[in-house]
Amino acid sequence: MKDYNLTHLRELESEAIYVLREVAAQFERPALLFSGGKDSIVLVHLSRKAFHPAAFPFPLLHIDTGHNFAEAITFRDDLVKKFNARLVVGSVQESIDTGRVIEEKGINASRNVLQTITLLDTIEKYKFDAAIGGGRRDEEKARAKERFFSHRDEFGQWDPKNQRPELWNIFNGKKRMGEHFRVFPISNWTEMDVWQYILQENIELPSLYFTHEREVFFRDGIYLAKAPFMAMKSTEKAEKLRVRCRTVGDVSCTGLVLSTADNLEDIIKEIAATRVTERGGRYDDKRSEAAMEDRKKEGYF
């Protein structure tokens, strides 16, 4: 009798590898969006499998807000060296310095939304015609509207009402000059699928994902990490707690969860028991009901 879970993960793996190979076949200058988070790390692992024994044929593209977790940047740099990958970095700080974007001020200021302009500028600078991302349909309702091959117009904008059909796994990458695609090979994966695959494949992750002691403060139902650039209200108090990241992004928007999970098996048990969605801990998604969709229409990941 076959192990259902193993078969299920192998089917998802096969689908993702097929999509990655389609990207290599249809586009001239693709790049893999890399944040140092678990989904982009899984994409690197899948890409290595897809093109083995050759190296995967696209660079890693990181949009650096300047407000990242140090552990994520260290992991990124180590991974680049380990796999001899090419790394392209788009700097939000540079976008601020050159006047391309205006930095937010105040208690809830975040550089997360500023990434959109930096991403579009970097895609234009390097003439990337496809950006591979780790978005999954179970994350958020706007992401659930995405196709595997998601068309972006010459302004980098996404129209959820005007998407191409993908019948029988036929992906249409045709585009006009200046347009590009976002590609999501693990669209059909769930958060649990990702964690079980990481366990099955023994994929290395940043220490952020496992329980550790960190200074945090509580705001609007979410624990946020204390940092020099994080303004705190007079009523907020930082305290050292045992926490871990469930999803990793800019420090200003990444919620941490109280946890004692220090290994993959315990994380999987924790995810199975929770009733809060993965992005339920993202502070930036609380700005409005349509926060993610509005940003995606403007060119966000």
Side-chain angles (χ1 to χ4, degrees), residues 15 29 31 72 90 117-118 187 243 254 258 273 282 286 296 300:
E15 178 182 63
R29 297 180 66 86
I117 295 298
T118 306
S187 286
V243 295
T254 300
L258 299 176
R282 288 293 290 260
K286 295 184 178 295
K296 285 178 68 63
Y300 189 70

Side-chain angles (χ1 to χ4, degrees), residues 139 220-222 246-247 255 276-283 285-286:
E139 286 183 89
D220 298 333
I222 293 174
R246 190 170 164 192
T247 177
V276 177
T277 64
E278 183 179 6
R279 290 198 69 94
R282 288 293 290 260
Y283 195 74
D285 287 350
K286 295 184 178 295

Side-chain angles (χ1 to χ4, degrees), residues 11 40 48 58 88 99 109 111 113 131 150 153 163 174-175 180 190 196 203 210 226 237 259 263 274 277 286:
E11 287 175 351
S40 58
R48 293 180 62 234
F58 27 75
V88 173
R111 288 187 173 184
V113 69
S150 184
D153 66 19
Q163 298 193 78
K174 292 183 179 179
K175 59 181 178 57
H180 72 277
T190 66
Q196 290 179 333
I203 299 173
F210 303 94
K226 183 183 178 184
K237 180 182 178 182
S259 175
N263 58 72
T274 188
T277 64
K286 295 184 178 295

Side-chain angles (χ1 to χ4, degrees), residues 92-111:
V92 172
Q93 184 62 57
E94 183 177 320
S95 298
I96 294 170
D97 294 342
T98 57
R100 288 288 293 148
V101 296
I102 299 174
E103 186 157 22
E104 294 182 352
K105 304 295 182 182
I107 290 293
N108 293 311
S110 171
R111 288 187 173 184

Side-chain angles (χ1 to χ4, degrees), residues 23 45 87 127 213 261 286 292 296 299:
V23 172
H45 181 84
L87 175 66
K127 305 302 180 187
E213 192 174 76
K286 295 184 178 295
M292 173 63 81
K296 285 178 68 63

